[in-house]
Each structure stands twice: as C-alpha cells, then as structure tokens.
Amino acid sequence: MRIYTINFTNVTINAAQDLFLVLPGTNKPVQLVEFGLWADAAAALAQARVTLRRFSAVVTNGSGGAAIATPTKLGASSDGAPGFTARTNDTVLATSSGTNEILKPFAFNVLNGLLYAPLPENRSLFLPGEACVLRLDTALTATVCDGYMDFAEF
C-alpha cells in the first residue's frame, strides 16, 4: 500500500463543482484516507454542502478545472508513480453511465473548514472502473479555498 495526496491551493470557488475526481488505475484500487477543505482568506460566513460520491461505471471526466499530473507521495521517496489519475475543480461536472452513489453528505461553514478522516475500517474503497468524486453541491460567493485528498493505492 502506498499513500499519495492531491491538492489545490488559492483557488477562487464561485460555482458548484467537482472539487476532486480520482479514477483508479488498472488492477489498482484506491482507498480514501482523508480530505480537508477550508477558506484560505478572510471570507464571508457561508454554509457549503459537499457530497462524497462513487460513480460505478464508465465515467466521463468533467472540465474547466485541472488535471493533476503527478500526485505527491506521502510514503517513501522510492515509491513508484501512482496508477490513478486525478482532477480538481471541474465546473463542468463528471458523469457516469452507471450509478451515481452518494456515500457521505457533509455540510460545513467555510470559515471553520472540513476535515474528514474516517477510521481505517470505515474508509471507502474504489475499484478500477469506478470513480471517487468529492462534489461541491452549492455555489460559493467568490471564496478563495484550499483542499487536499489523501489516497492509499493497493
């Protein structure tokens, strides 16, 4: 098992979007270890709603955001490159020909931030052919945000 992180920093968020999308590589399932989101600058008091989702079939990536070329290794520097691909901040939302399953809904205030770090036995597993999506379901008013998502790859 190897641990990787993907992140975004100093991104102005003013629309509903896929904050993170991760597609496991062939024969390499991934497990969500934790994620965090917060406002980076003084922001107005605002409630946000995000959902952790599993897409179960053919996934069409969203657009308008950024592809993560190389996720950062959190383990040994000798760990190989990850087999999964990732995107952040897509304002055109990803779609799936299969089930769009909401695993966990969250509501939080952007000034307080959100940290999700489940116990190991409660971590969601995503198999090849599936996708992990963390979706911001409510638009924010031009809020500068940071976020990260850590994955274990098997």
Side-chain angles (χ1 to χ4, degrees), residues 8 13 19-20 35-39 50 108-110 112-116 134 136 145-148:
F8 61 86
I13 295 179
L19 297 167
F20 295 99
F35 70 80
L37 302 167
W38 59 93
V50 295
F108 71 103
N109 188 290
V110 296
N112 295 332
L114 171 63
L115 173 65
Y116 176 65
L134 185 65
L136 175 66
C145 294
D146 297 339
Y148 74 93

Side-chain angles (χ1 to χ4, degrees), residues 53-64:
R53 298 166 182 253
R54 175 184 289 122
F55 288 0
S56 65
V58 176
V59 176
T60 303
N61 286 347
S63 62

Side-chain angles (χ1 to χ4, degrees), residues 85-98:
T85 57
R87 295 188 57 81
T88 61
N89 306 107
D90 282 331
T91 53
V92 175
L93 305 178
T95 59
S96 172
S97 64

Side-chain angles (χ1 to χ4, degrees), residues 9-63:
T9 57
N10 260 349
V11 174
T12 300
I13 295 179
N14 56 9
Q17 60 189 260
D18 289 338
L19 297 167
F20 295 99
L21 178 136
V22 174
L23 297 164
T26 304
N27 299 320
K28 292 188 177 183
V30 296
Q31 186 175 52
L32 175 61
V33 175
E34 70 178 48
F35 70 80
L37 302 167
W38 59 93
D40 188 42
L45 188 65
Q47 287 296 113
R49 188 180 63 171
V50 295
T51 48
L52 177 62
R53 298 166 182 253
R54 175 184 289 122
F55 288 0
S56 65
V58 176
V59 176
T60 303
N61 286 347
S63 62

